[in-house]
Amino acid sequence: MTDYQKLFDLRGRRALLLGAGGIGREAGLALAAQGAEVVCADRDPDTAKATADAIAGEGGLAGAVELDITDAGGLERHLGEVGDLDVAVLTAAMNVRKRLLDYSPEEFDRVVGLNLRGTFNVLRAVGARMVARGSGSIIAFSSIRARTVEPGQGVYAATKAGLESLVRTAAVEFGEAGVRVNAVAPGVVETPLTAQIKADPDWYRAYATKGALGRWSLPSELAGAVVYLASDASSYVTGSTLSVDGGWTAVDGRFTPPA
């Protein structure tokens, strides 16, 4: 008989956090609060250490490592040092807000290199180890932009749509080994990545009123989705994208007509 009190219990499990700032920091704190040991990885070692320290300050178990997911060889080496993993959470991403005609090839390569190739590197490296063990959960962060776009978001949107395709494929290919792969798609979140929007009051309000809840989300509001997908509560969930967007993709435009 299922013990429902332990559905979200992560004690005895090790989680790798790839991208330890912003949403990643809150995800790490939430995973640790449920008992997981969290390895905080970021290409900025100070960010990784700050999140690990925050987890330790709450009584959790955490370590920090400098890691760049665009370096496939370095990723493989670090994973060998980290050891067995039960959960991997990928939040690392970047965006260059420009219309397509203004984009340079170098900017395209930077965004695609981190968001899409980095995802590919993580799925291969982490997936191979989890498949060999016969268990594990990989959670990659997508975006509402995988489905809804706007001027200046084309390349970012393309990488997130590609990420979701890679997630579905990995779920199919890793599933027989007992490894689950899913994505989380946030709406507008108050993080450094959205600083340009937050700085413009009109833009900020327009985004706040687009969703059904009428406001932006905080990074902490994404953490529950991560814990759910990491835990036994989602044991039959794979190949899915969980939208945590405040109803953004459910709303048809910004105009509310009279009833």
Side-chain angles (χ1 to χ4, degrees):
M1 183 175 179
T2 301
D3 185 348
Y4 291 114
Q5 290 186 329
K6 295 183 179 180
L7 272 182
F8 297 95
D9 188 354
L10 297 175
R11 285 175 293 182
R13 303 187 194 185
R14 174 178 286 175
L16 174 64
L17 187 61
L18 297 153
I23 293 171
R25 173 187 170 91
E26 299 301 324
L29 287 164
L31 291 168
Q34 300 302 319
E37 174 189 353
V38 182
V39 179
C40 303
D42 201 284
R43 60 181 170 186
D44 178 0
D46 292 337
T47 297
K49 184 178 185 303
T51 298
D53 289 346
I55 291 171
E58 295 293 326
L61 183 61
V65 61
E66 180 180 355
L67 193 153
D68 182 354
I69 64 171
T70 65
D71 177 5
L75 177 61
E76 291 281 358
R77 289 192 298 274
H78 280 299
L79 288 178
E81 297 169 1
V82 168
D84 290 341
L85 293 170
D86 302 288
V87 179
V89 182
L90 173 59
T91 71
M94 69 171 297
N95 189 10
V96 174
R97 286 180 171 274
K98 286 186 178 180
R99 291 174 182 255
L100 294 177
L101 297 183
D102 297 325
Y103 240 86
S104 71
E106 293 76 19
E107 289 167 335
F108 178 91
D109 288 344
R110 282 170 51 212
V111 176
V112 172
L114 176 58
N115 297 2
L116 193 56
R117 185 178 181 89
T119 298
F120 171 75
N121 290 342
V122 169
L123 289 174
R124 286 187 74 251
V126 174
R129 286 163 173 77
M130 288 185 174
V131 166
R133 289 187 65 204
S135 65
S137 173
I138 302 174
I139 305 156
F141 267 73
S142 180
S143 168
I144 55 172
R145 294 301 170 214
R147 289 173 294 285
T148 62
V149 299
E150 67 178 22
Q153 294 270 48
V155 176
Y156 179 78
T159 64
K160 292 305 184 178
L163 178 149
E164 290 190 10
S165 289
L166 287 174
V167 162
R168 288 192 295 271
T169 303
V172 172
E173 294 181 356
F174 303 168
E176 289 186 357
V179 178
R180 299 183 297 108
V181 189
N182 293 285
V184 176
V188 288
V189 188
E190 297 202 11
T191 70
L193 193 64
T194 55
Q196 180 182 358
I197 303 170
K198 291 164 59 180
D200 185 315
D202 291 336
W203 203 353
Y204 184 90
R205 283 193 297 271
Y207 269 32
T209 57
K210 172 61 179 73
L213 296 181
R215 63 176 178 84
W216 288 50
S217 69
L218 298 173
S220 59
E221 294 180 289
L222 282 300
V226 173
V227 171
Y228 167 67
L229 291 172
S231 71
D232 291 342
S234 62
S235 60
Y236 200 61
V237 179
T238 196
S240 296
T241 296
L242 175 56
S243 295
V244 188
D245 64 1
W248 183 291
T249 51
V251 177
D252 181 18
R254 293 177 182 161
F255 173 64
T256 302

Coordinates of all heavy atoms in Angstrom, one line a residue, residues 77-126:
R77 N 33.8 15.0 -16.9 CA 34.8 14.8 -15.8 C 34.2 15.2 -14.4 O 34.4 14.4 -13.5 CB 36.0 15.7 -16.1 CG 36.9 15.3 -17.2 CD 38.2 16.0 -17.2 NE 38.0 17.5 -17.4 CZ 37.9 18.0 -18.6 NH1 38.0 17.3 -19.7 NH2 37.7 19.3 -18.7
H78 N 33.4 16.2 -14.4 CA 32.8 16.6 -13.1 C 31.8 15.6 -12.6 O 31.7 15.3 -11.4 CB 32.2 18.0 -13.2 CG 33.2 19.1 -13.1 ND1 34.0 19.4 -12.0 CD2 33.5 20.1 -14.0 CE1 34.7 20.4 -12.2 NE2 34.5 20.9 -13.4
L79 N 31.0 15.1 -13.6 CA 30.0 14.1 -13.2 C 30.7 12.9 -12.6 O 30.2 12.2 -11.7 CB 29.1 13.7 -14.3 CG 28.1 14.8 -14.8 CD1 27.4 14.3 -16.0 CD2 27.2 15.2 -13.7
G80 N 31.8 12.5 -13.1 CA 32.6 11.4 -12.6 C 33.0 11.6 -11.1 O 33.0 10.7 -10.3
E81 N 33.3 12.9 -10.8 CA 33.7 13.2 -9.5 C 32.5 13.3 -8.5 O 32.6 13.0 -7.3 CB 34.4 14.6 -9.5 CG 35.7 14.6 -10.3 CD 36.3 15.9 -10.5 OE1 35.7 16.9 -10.0 OE2 37.4 16.1 -11.1
V82 N 31.4 13.8 -9.0 CA 30.2 14.0 -8.2 C 29.6 12.6 -7.8 O 29.2 12.5 -6.6 CB 29.1 14.7 -9.0 CG1 27.7 14.7 -8.3 CG2 29.5 16.2 -9.2
G83 N 29.7 11.6 -8.6 CA 29.2 10.3 -8.3 C 27.7 10.1 -8.7 O 27.2 10.8 -9.5
D84 N 27.1 9.1 -8.1 CA 25.7 8.7 -8.4 C 24.7 9.9 -8.2 O 24.8 10.6 -7.2 CB 25.3 7.5 -7.7 CG 26.0 6.2 -8.1 OD1 26.5 6.2 -9.2 OD2 26.0 5.3 -7.3
L85 N 23.7 10.0 -9.1 CA 22.7 11.0 -9.0 C 21.3 10.4 -9.1 O 21.1 9.5 -9.9 CB 22.9 12.1 -10.1 CG 24.1 12.9 -10.1 CD1 24.2 13.7 -11.4 CD2 24.1 13.9 -8.9
D86 N 20.4 10.9 -8.3 CA 19.0 10.5 -8.4 C 18.2 11.5 -9.2 O 17.2 11.2 -9.8 CB 18.4 10.3 -7.0 CG 19.2 9.3 -6.2 OD1 19.1 8.1 -6.5 OD2 19.9 9.7 -5.3
V87 N 18.6 12.8 -9.1 CA 17.9 13.9 -9.7 C 18.9 14.8 -10.3 O 20.0 15.1 -9.8 CB 17.1 14.6 -8.6 CG1 16.3 15.8 -9.3 CG2 16.1 13.7 -7.9
A88 N 18.5 15.4 -11.5 CA 19.3 16.5 -12.1 C 18.3 17.6 -12.5 O 17.3 17.3 -13.2 CB 20.1 16.0 -13.3
V89 N 18.6 18.8 -12.2 CA 17.7 19.9 -12.5 C 18.6 20.9 -13.3 O 19.6 21.4 -12.8 CB 17.2 20.6 -11.2 CG1 16.3 21.8 -11.6 CG2 16.5 19.6 -10.3
L90 N 18.1 21.2 -14.5 CA 18.8 22.1 -15.4 C 18.1 23.4 -15.6 O 17.0 23.5 -16.2 CB 19.0 21.5 -16.8 CG 19.6 22.3 -17.9 CD1 21.0 22.9 -17.5 CD2 19.6 21.6 -19.2
T91 N 18.6 24.5 -15.0 CA 18.0 25.8 -15.1 C 18.8 26.8 -16.0 O 18.4 27.9 -16.3 CB 17.7 26.4 -13.8 OG1 19.0 26.8 -13.2 CG2 17.0 25.5 -12.8
A92 N 20.1 26.5 -16.2 CA 21.0 27.4 -16.9 C 20.5 27.8 -18.3 O 20.1 26.9 -19.1 CB 22.4 26.7 -17.0
A93 N 20.4 29.1 -18.5 CA 19.9 29.6 -19.8 C 20.3 31.0 -20.0 O 20.7 31.7 -19.0 CB 18.4 29.4 -19.9
M94 N 20.3 31.5 -21.2 CA 20.5 32.9 -21.5 C 19.6 33.4 -22.6 O 19.0 32.6 -23.4 CB 22.0 33.2 -21.9 CG 22.4 32.6 -23.2 SD 24.0 33.1 -23.7 CE 23.8 34.9 -23.9
N95 N 19.5 34.7 -22.8 CA 18.6 35.3 -23.8 C 19.3 36.6 -24.3 O 19.8 37.3 -23.5 CB 17.2 35.6 -23.3 CG 16.3 36.0 -24.4 OD1 16.6 35.9 -25.6 ND2 15.1 36.4 -24.0
V96 N 19.2 36.8 -25.6 CA 19.6 38.1 -26.2 C 18.4 38.6 -26.9 O 17.9 38.0 -27.9 CB 20.8 37.9 -27.2 CG1 21.0 39.2 -27.9 CG2 22.0 37.4 -26.5
R97 N 17.8 39.7 -26.4 CA 16.5 40.2 -26.9 C 16.8 41.1 -28.1 O 17.1 42.3 -27.9 CB 15.8 41.0 -25.8 CG 15.2 40.1 -24.7 CD 14.5 40.9 -23.7 NE 13.7 40.1 -22.8 CZ 12.5 39.7 -23.0 NH1 11.9 40.1 -24.1 NH2 11.9 39.0 -22.1
K98 N 16.7 40.5 -29.3 CA 16.8 41.3 -30.5 C 15.9 40.6 -31.6 O 15.7 39.4 -31.6 CB 18.3 41.2 -31.0 CG 19.2 42.1 -30.2 CD 20.6 42.1 -30.9 CE 21.6 43.0 -30.2 NZ 22.9 43.0 -30.9
R99 N 15.4 41.5 -32.5 CA 14.7 40.9 -33.6 C 15.7 40.2 -34.5 O 16.9 40.4 -34.5 CB 14.0 42.1 -34.4 CG 12.9 42.7 -33.6 CD 12.3 43.9 -34.3 NE 11.3 44.6 -33.5 CZ 10.0 44.4 -33.8 NH1 9.6 43.7 -34.8 NH2 9.1 45.0 -33.0
L100 N 15.1 39.2 -35.3 CA 15.9 38.3 -36.1 C 16.9 39.1 -37.0 O 18.0 38.7 -37.2 CB 15.1 37.4 -36.9 CG 14.2 36.4 -36.0 CD1 13.4 35.5 -37.0 CD2 15.2 35.5 -35.2
L101 N 16.4 40.2 -37.6 CA 17.2 40.9 -38.6 C 18.3 41.7 -37.9 O 19.3 42.1 -38.6 CB 16.3 41.9 -39.4 CG 15.2 41.3 -40.2 CD1 14.5 42.4 -41.0 CD2 15.8 40.2 -41.2
D102 N 18.3 41.8 -36.6 CA 19.3 42.5 -35.8 C 20.3 41.5 -35.2 O 21.3 41.9 -34.6 CB 18.7 43.4 -34.8 CG 17.9 44.5 -35.4 OD1 18.2 45.0 -36.5 OD2 16.8 44.9 -34.8
Y103 N 20.0 40.2 -35.2 CA 20.8 39.2 -34.5 C 22.1 39.0 -35.3 O 22.1 38.9 -36.5 CB 20.1 37.9 -34.5 CG 19.8 37.4 -33.1 CD1 18.7 37.8 -32.4 CD2 20.7 36.5 -32.5 CE1 18.5 37.3 -31.1 CE2 20.4 36.0 -31.2 CZ 19.3 36.4 -30.5 OH 19.1 35.9 -29.3
S104 N 23.2 38.9 -34.6 CA 24.5 38.5 -35.2 C 24.7 37.0 -35.1 O 24.1 36.4 -34.2 CB 25.6 39.2 -34.5 OG 25.9 38.7 -33.2
P105 N 25.4 36.4 -36.0 CA 25.7 35.0 -35.9 C 26.3 34.6 -34.6 O 26.1 33.5 -34.1 CB 26.6 34.7 -37.1 CG 26.3 35.8 -38.1 CD 26.0 37.0 -37.3
E106 N 27.2 35.5 -34.1 CA 27.8 35.2 -32.8 C 26.8 35.2 -31.7 O 26.9 34.3 -30.8 CB 28.9 36.3 -32.5 CG 30.1 36.3 -33.5 CD 29.8 36.9 -34.8 OE1 28.8 37.6 -34.9 OE2 30.5 36.6 -35.8
E107 N 25.9 36.1 -31.7 CA 24.8 36.0 -30.6 C 24.0 34.8 -30.8 O 23.6 34.2 -29.7 CB 24.0 37.3 -30.7 CG 24.7 38.6 -30.3 CD 24.0 39.8 -30.7 OE1 23.2 39.8 -31.7 OE2 24.2 40.9 -30.0
F108 N 23.6 34.4 -32.0 CA 22.9 33.2 -32.2 C 23.6 32.0 -31.6 O 23.0 31.2 -30.9 CB 22.6 33.0 -33.7 CG 21.9 31.7 -34.0 CD1 20.5 31.7 -34.1 CD2 22.6 30.6 -34.3 CE1 19.8 30.6 -34.5 CE2 21.9 29.4 -34.6 CZ 20.5 29.4 -34.7
D109 N 24.9 31.9 -31.9 CA 25.7 30.8 -31.4 C 25.8 30.7 -29.9 O 25.8 29.6 -29.3 CB 27.1 30.8 -32.0 CG 27.1 30.5 -33.5 OD1 26.2 29.9 -34.0 OD2 28.2 30.8 -34.2
R110 N 25.9 31.9 -29.3 CA 25.9 32.0 -27.8 C 24.7 31.4 -27.2 O 24.7 30.6 -26.2 CB 26.2 33.4 -27.3 CG 27.6 33.8 -27.5 CD 27.7 35.3 -27.2 NE 27.1 35.7 -25.9 CZ 26.5 36.9 -25.7 NH1 26.5 37.8 -26.7 NH2 26.0 37.1 -24.6
V111 N 23.5 31.9 -27.7 CA 22.2 31.5 -27.1 C 22.0 30.0 -27.3 O 21.6 29.3 -26.4 CB 21.1 32.4 -27.6 CG1 19.7 31.9 -27.1 CG2 21.3 33.8 -27.2
V112 N 22.2 29.6 -28.6 CA 21.9 28.2 -28.9 C 22.9 27.3 -28.2 O 22.6 26.2 -27.8 CB 22.0 28.0 -30.4 CG1 21.9 26.5 -30.8 CG2 20.8 28.7 -31.1
G113 N 24.2 27.8 -28.1 CA 25.2 27.0 -27.4 C 24.9 26.6 -26.0 O 25.1 25.5 -25.6
L114 N 24.4 27.6 -25.3 CA 24.1 27.3 -23.9 C 22.7 26.6 -23.7 O 22.6 25.6 -23.1 CB 24.0 28.6 -23.0 CG 23.6 28.5 -21.6 CD1 24.5 27.5 -20.8 CD2 23.6 29.9 -20.9
N115 N 21.7 27.2 -24.3 CA 20.3 26.7 -24.1 C 20.0 25.4 -24.7 O 19.3 24.5 -24.1 CB 19.3 27.7 -24.6 CG 19.4 29.1 -23.9 OD1 20.2 29.3 -23.0 ND2 18.5 30.0 -24.3
L116 N 20.5 25.2 -25.9 CA 20.2 23.9 -26.7 C 21.3 22.9 -26.6 O 21.1 21.8 -26.2 CB 19.8 24.2 -28.1 CG 19.1 23.1 -28.9 CD1 17.9 22.6 -28.1 CD2 18.7 23.6 -30.3
R117 N 22.5 23.3 -27.0 CA 23.6 22.4 -27.0 C 23.9 22.0 -25.5 O 24.2 20.8 -25.2 CB 24.9 22.9 -27.7 CG 26.0 21.9 -27.7 CD 27.2 22.5 -28.4 NE 28.3 21.5 -28.5 CZ 28.4 20.6 -29.5 NH1 27.5 20.6 -30.5 NH2 29.4 19.7 -29.4
G118 N 23.8 22.9 -24.6 CA 24.0 22.6 -23.2 C 23.0 21.6 -22.7 O 23.4 20.7 -22.0
T119 N 21.8 21.7 -23.1 CA 20.8 20.7 -22.8 C 21.1 19.4 -23.3 O 21.0 18.3 -22.6 CB 19.4 21.2 -23.3 OG1 19.0 22.4 -22.7 CG2 18.3 20.1 -23.0
F120 N 21.6 19.3 -24.6 CA 22.0 18.1 -25.2 C 23.1 17.4 -24.4 O 23.1 16.2 -24.1 CB 22.4 18.4 -26.6 CG 23.1 17.3 -27.4 CD1 22.3 16.2 -27.8 CD2 24.5 17.3 -27.6 CE1 23.0 15.1 -28.5 CE2 25.1 16.2 -28.2 CZ 24.3 15.1 -28.7
N121 N 24.1 18.3 -24.0 CA 25.2 17.7 -23.3 C 24.8 17.1 -21.9 O 25.3 16.0 -21.5 CB 26.3 18.9 -23.0 CG 27.0 19.3 -24.2 OD1 27.0 18.6 -25.2 ND2 27.6 20.5 -24.1
V122 N 23.9 17.8 -21.3 CA 23.4 17.3 -20.0 C 22.6 16.0 -20.1 O 22.8 15.1 -19.4 CB 22.6 18.4 -19.3 CG1 21.8 17.8 -18.0 CG2 23.4 19.6 -18.9
L123 N 21.7 16.0 -21.1 CA 20.9 14.8 -21.3 C 21.8 13.6 -21.6 O 21.5 12.5 -21.1 CB 19.9 15.0 -22.4 CG 18.7 16.0 -22.0 CD1 17.9 16.2 -23.3 CD2 17.9 15.4 -20.9
R124 N 22.8 13.8 -22.4 CA 23.7 12.7 -22.7 C 24.5 12.2 -21.5 O 24.6 11.0 -21.2 CB 24.7 13.1 -23.9 CG 24.0 13.2 -25.2 CD 25.1 13.4 -26.3 NE 25.9 12.2 -26.6 CZ 27.2 12.1 -26.2 NH1 27.8 13.0 -25.6 NH2 27.8 11.0 -26.5
A125 N 25.1 13.2 -20.9 CA 26.0 12.8 -19.8 C 25.3 12.3 -18.5 O 25.6 11.3 -18.0 CB 26.9 14.1 -19.4
V126 N 24.3 13.0 -18.1 CA 23.5 12.6 -16.9 C 22.7 11.4 -17.3 O 22.6 10.4 -16.5 CB 22.6 13.7 -16.4 CG1 21.7 13.2 -15.3 CG2 23.5 14.9 -15.9

